Amino acid sequence: MFINRRVVTWAVAMLLIVMISGCKSRFEKLRASNNIAQKYQEAIKYYNNKRYSKAQILFEDLMQRYRGQAEAEDLYYYMAYANYYLRDYTAARYHFKQFTDTYPNSARTEECRYMGAYCYYLESPKATLDQEYTYRAIEALQLFINLYPSSERAKEAGALIQDLRDKLEAKAFTNAKLYLDMGLQDDYRAAVIAFDNVLRDFPDTKYAEEMEFLSIKAQSLYAGQSSLRRREERFEEVIELYSKFVASYPESRFRKDADKYKADAEQRIAEAKKLMAEFSAAQRRQETAQLPAETAAPEVSTSN
């Protein structure tokens, strides 16, 4: 009985191997076949059954055979979608573009142009990475809207663009905050400039309130590390940023901390003025002490 079980197990295993080998060999025979009509029909079957890898291989072979014929349009179309469903968005985008370039008057051209732009959208990385593909996606989606302003997909494209802009906005805000976190004097000034750039590039940004507050903080830290000669003017800028912030967000959740930065700036300005006055007076005394007696009281010149 034990031997019979082993025999049955071995037989089943061999049958599976034969079946798998048979399936593989049938596909390879189909791929190598010169019967392009049969290959075309089988490729469509693979595609409809969501066996996109095999469909893609056959489509690639067939595209050369059907170049310039009526079937070629379907092949370009299915080839693009096969790559799309396989999540090879770079290849899919390439084939969608090929379709729009080759068949500009096709009923499918609008769809393929949108899908090409959408592939760029899908290739856009998370906000912490390089955003080249995000910019390309925005450009492609905006071009679609310009070409098909009345299309139902135009609204979808607009929503995708907003999503991509939100990502760029988040990255710009994170980069600006990074300067503030680095803790060096030049970095504090760079943070103020970076926050201002983000506010200019994204005037409706949801981070506006926080960025305007952080600009006050960064400028205060920058001024505090400045030389005595530049300290007064730089703390004056803190007060200017504070005034702008309070005018825009009088009930801000950052108001209490902003008030502290303003009060500190006023105190530091008063201290800077006092120290500068004392320094100037000491410098004048030193210069006077170094003058020869005969030049201590020079005559007033009457020349121009």
Side-chain angles (χ1 to χ4, degrees), residues 53-295:
S53 295
K54 283 185 167 61
Q56 178 199 38
I57 292 170
L58 296 179
F59 287 148
E60 192 168 358
D61 291 341
L62 290 165
M63 285 171 70
Q64 302 298 324
R65 305 286 190 93
Y66 280 104
R67 187 180 298 276
Q69 300 182 44
E71 292 85 354
E73 180 177 339
D74 286 342
L75 286 170
Y76 273 94
Y77 181 78
Y78 290 130
M79 181 67 168
Y81 269 106
N83 282 282
Y84 172 76
Y85 290 128
L86 289 169
R87 300 193 178 190
D88 186 350
Y89 300 125
T90 300
R93 173 168 44 80
Y94 169 79
H95 287 293
F96 281 124
K97 185 177 186 304
Q98 266 203 323
F99 185 95
T100 59
D101 291 345
T102 308
Y103 304 101
N105 298 319
S106 169
R108 295 165 169 169
T109 298
E110 177 190 323
E111 175 190 354
C112 288
R113 188 176 291 278
Y114 174 81
M115 289 302 299
Y118 185 61
C119 285
Y120 265 130
Y121 171 82
L122 294 174
E123 290 179 290
S124 173
K126 58 184 181 180
T128 55
L129 301 177
D130 180 75
Q131 296 300 303
E132 177 185 355
Y133 278 91
T134 302
Y135 286 107
R136 290 187 181 184
I138 291 174
E139 182 179 350
L141 289 163
Q142 187 59 57
L143 176 60
F144 176 84
I145 293 172
N146 295 344
L147 291 173
Y148 305 99
S150 58
S151 168
E152 292 181 2
R153 295 186 180 92
K155 185 176 181 180
E156 297 173 15
L160 295 179
I161 288 174
Q162 185 57 55
D163 185 54
L164 294 168
R165 286 182 59 82
D166 288 345
K167 184 185 295 187
L168 293 176
E169 178 185 314
K171 182 176 178 63
F173 176 52
T174 300
N175 288 347
K177 283 182 68 177
L178 184 61
Y179 286 115
L180 182 58
D181 295 337
M182 289 172 71
L184 299 176
Q185 183 184 15
D186 289 343
D187 294 324
Y188 292 139
R189 183 55 186 165
V192 175
I193 295 171
F195 286 133
D196 186 62
N197 288 339
V198 177
L199 289 167
R200 184 187 65 245
D201 294 340
F202 303 95
D204 298 324
T205 174
K206 60 185 176 183
Y207 304 110
E209 179 182 346
E210 184 174 358
M211 281 194 289
E212 289 198 30
F213 166 71
L214 291 176
S215 293
I216 298 170
K217 178 180 179 179
Q219 181 62 28
S220 179
L221 293 169
Y222 174 62
Q225 294 186 7
S226 299
S227 65
L228 179 60
R229 183 173 62 86
R230 305 298 300 275
R231 205 170 297 168
E232 180 182 347
E233 65 176 284
R234 289 175 179 172
F235 274 112
E236 288 285 0
E237 188 169 342
V238 173
I239 295 176
E240 289 178 11
L241 290 170
Y242 168 86
S243 299
K244 179 183 175 184
F245 172 76
V246 172
S248 299
Y249 309 100
E251 304 298 327
S252 172
R253 59 194 173 100
F254 302 110
R255 176 65 185 268
K256 186 176 180 180
D257 289 330
D259 289 344
K260 291 179 181 178
Y261 282 118
K262 187 228 181 187
D264 179 69
E266 291 173 338
Q267 181 180 344
R268 300 291 287 275
I269 289 170
E271 290 174 355
K273 286 181 177 179
K274 181 180 179 181
L275 289 173
M276 281 299 297
E278 292 174 354
F279 175 78
S280 297
Q283 192 173 38
R284 285 196 298 271
R285 287 194 298 271
Q286 183 179 6
E287 291 172 353
T288 301
Q290 292 175 351
L291 289 173
E294 61 273 18
T295 61

Side-chain angles (χ1 to χ4, degrees), residues 36-46 62 66:
I36 60 173
Q38 181 188 8
K39 186 184 290 189
Y40 180 90
Q41 292 174 357
E42 292 299 319
I44 298 299
K45 285 181 182 178
Y46 279 126
L62 290 165
Y66 280 104

